[in-house]
Amino acid sequence: MFFTDRADAGRRLAAALRHLATEDPVVLGLPRGGVPVAFQVARELGAPLDVIVVRKLGVPYHRELGFGAIGEGGVRVISEDIVRQARITGADVAEVERTAREALGQQAHRLREGRPRVPLTGRTAIVVDDGIATGATAAAACEVVRAQGASRVVLAAPVAPPDAVAWLRTEADEVVCLSTPRAFRAVGEWYQDFSQTPDEEVVALLAEAARSPAPAPRTAGSAVEPDGGVEVAAEVEVEVEVDAGALRLAGDLALPRGPDGSGAVVMFAHGSGSSRRSPRNRAVAAALNRAGLGTLLFDLLTPAEESDRSNVFAVEPLAGRLSDATRWLRSSYAPASVGYFGASTGAAAALLAAADPEADIGAVVSRGGRPDLAGPRLGDVRAPTLLVVGGRDTTVLELNRQAQAELRCENRLDVVPGATHLFEEPGTLDEVAELARAWFTRHLNA
């Protein structure tokens, strides 16, 4: 998951924190980069915003190596192992801490412009940063807010390595992190714009939050349009590991909630293994999200398997993985209904999976697919099926017509005029997205 900038990360993180809006929370940003993220969270939740200041304690001869951290209220977190291994004396610890505490006090006063801290006693404190590397500073922040009387501590960040998140779950009552990539090197690599946040920006955001009363929190799953209308498009997207039998496959799960609370999720199946990153599939997924539908984009093939082109046409194993992934989705998130969107050979895998008598799939859409590869099982499909093919994709169009003749379920074949196989012509992919949206909303929300 990549973020445009801290404001974008804050809006997306806020969507994942909406369940806390009724707990009278206080949102606390870690300076400096965490404050722009926290500002968006506070606005979305209708909560007050404050800053939580902590300072890392660095080894005297290697300042980048931290042996602990301190925070407001006299809180200190020390790693005795690092102190011992670095052979830091007690006098060194005291001197580093004295200097850090003086700087901490000055920074807190400067950023708040003399305003007192927002009281935390008996309230839920949401500690927000723009990303987590080691987790030491975030852990210190959790200790600080507990010492200041918070009854519950929630740590929230857009991105962090899995091991840091696992550790921080022992430090906070709840950890909300949108992305936990295994190949994690630095927070900044997950942002398009990760330029430094100056103190002036932090001061301005805190002052604006203090000056303007917090708006009422928005209803989960809704976004207010400029004209005051409501659009059901505020999805929460998180990276997940999809349990597909013997494999765990990387996926992106978006769970928007429409006005009817349908909770329907469309799973994307693509035989080439590119479904997570495919701009075409992502464009269709975005249109479904705007209609209030959830989406799960994941890779049916591992990178190593994808290098062998024959695996792309192994539709039966792909269908088995899709079925396993569907069971995982249902057990983990309990969607009200499930649909399949298949492209290319993934469409055959989707139809094979839907042909299982126990599949209970609400609808299937095939984009430029090869439903013919599902063979005799086509007659067993019970889910309403829409076949979408480009008018200039003549070979695939004929194969779809043959496959349609084998279907016994409700079905329809739509031809997009002027489109080739990949729907690269202007406006053609938009037409696919609209056809898919209409089909899924009709059948999954029934």
Side-chain angles (χ1 to χ4, degrees):
M1 182 180 295
F2 291 89
F3 307 98
T4 303
D5 53 21
R6 290 179 177 89
D8 171 53
R11 287 188 290 268
R12 295 164 74 176
L13 187 60
L17 294 166
R18 286 200 189 101
H19 63 287
L20 300 173
T22 59
E23 296 188 16
D24 189 29
V26 177
V27 179
L28 304 162
L30 277 160
R32 291 183 294 264
V35 175
V37 181
F39 180 81
Q40 300 295 333
V41 172
R43 287 184 58 185
E44 183 70 25
L45 300 188
L49 174 69
D50 199 358
V51 66
I52 179 72
V53 183
V54 296
R55 301 286 292 190
K56 183 172 72 174
L57 303 178
V59 173
Y61 55 83
H62 187 5
R63 293 290 184 181
E64 291 304 311
L65 175 61
F67 66 85
I70 60 169
E72 295 177 278
V75 174
R76 65 198 296 266
V77 179
I78 304 293
S79 170
E80 298 297 344
D81 287 341
I82 295 179
V83 169
R84 183 175 57 257
Q85 293 169 10
R87 298 181 180 180
I88 308 170
T89 66
D92 287 336
V93 170
E95 177 58 24
V96 171
E97 183 175 348
R98 183 193 65 77
T99 303
R101 194 164 294 284
E102 180 178 331
L104 181 147
Q106 293 174 351
Q107 183 185 27
H109 182 81
R110 182 174 66 255
L111 296 180
R112 289 198 186 96
E113 294 186 318
R115 289 185 301 273
R117 294 199 306 260
V118 175
L120 300 180
T121 303
R123 302 180 72 174
T124 295
I126 305 175
V127 178
V128 178
D129 205 356
D130 56 4
I132 293 170
T134 65
T137 302
C142 291
E143 295 254 7
V144 168
V145 297
R146 284 196 196 282
Q148 293 174 351
S151 60
R152 186 163 181 250
V153 179
V154 178
L155 180 62
V159 61
D163 54 346
V165 171
W167 171 51
L168 289 167
R169 291 191 194 283
T170 67
E171 303 295 318
D173 298 305
E174 182 180 354
V175 176
V176 176
C177 187
L178 301 182
S179 179
T180 55
R182 294 185 182 277
F184 184 97
R185 292 185 296 273
V187 172
E189 68 182 354
W190 303 99
Y191 284 81
Q192 292 180 20
D193 178 4
F194 197 66
S195 54
Q196 186 175 4
T197 302
D199 279 352
E200 292 77 13
E201 180 179 350
V202 175
V203 170
L205 290 173
L206 292 172
E208 181 179 346
R211 188 169 55 245
S212 305
R218 295 177 185 175
T219 303
S222 67
V224 178
E225 296 182 310
D227 62 359
V230 175
E231 178 188 25
V232 290
E235 74 272 11
V236 178
E237 183 177 280
V238 294
E239 287 190 351
V240 294
E241 283 193 343
V242 179
D243 187 348
L247 286 176
R248 288 191 172 272
L249 304 171
D252 295 329
L253 176 65
L255 289 174
R257 296 184 60 189
D260 61 354
S262 62
V265 175
V266 177
M267 303 178 70
F268 281 62
H270 196 291
S272 69
S274 64
S275 68
R276 287 183 72 210
R277 302 304 181 201
S278 164
R280 288 175 291 278
N281 283 345
R282 286 197 168 274
V284 175
L288 299 182
N289 293 154
R290 288 193 293 272
L293 294 166
T295 53
L296 173 60
L297 294 97
F298 69 107
D299 302 336
L300 280 173
L301 292 173
T302 66
E305 291 171 333
E306 188 183 352
S307 63
D308 183 351
R309 185 64 181 169
S310 64
N311 288 324
V312 174
F313 292 90
V315 294
E316 289 192 9
L318 295 179
R321 289 183 184 180
L322 182 57
S323 295
D324 289 337
T326 305
R327 284 188 284 271
W328 168 84
L329 176 68
R330 285 184 165 133
S331 64
S332 301
Y333 294 92
S337 55
V338 174
Y340 288 157
F341 182 93
S344 189
T345 55
L351 288 164
L352 278 177
D356 189 315
E358 299 180 358
D360 191 24
I361 299 304
V364 177
V365 173
S366 164
R367 172 184 65 81
R370 291 290 308 276
D372 57 295
L373 295 177
R377 296 300 306 279
L378 285 170
D380 297 328
V381 177
R382 295 293 176 263
T385 299
L386 173 66
L387 308 174
V388 185
V389 187
R392 294 167 59 190
D393 192 10
T394 54
T395 300
V396 171
L397 177 56
E398 180 57 32
L399 292 172
N400 272 255
R401 284 173 174 152
Q402 294 172 14
Q404 185 187 22
E406 302 297 322
L407 290 169
R408 298 292 177 265
C409 58
E410 176 187 349
N411 65 83
R412 195 174 80 213
L413 172 61
D414 283 346
V415 180
V416 179
T420 53
H421 184 63
L422 295 180
F423 297 89
E424 296 174 305
E425 296 72 24
T428 57
L429 188 61
D430 292 338
E431 188 167 347
V432 172
E434 175 56 25
L435 290 168
R437 182 206 62 76
W439 192 262
F440 283 128
T441 53
R442 173 187 167 193
H443 293 288
L444 297 186
N445 293 342

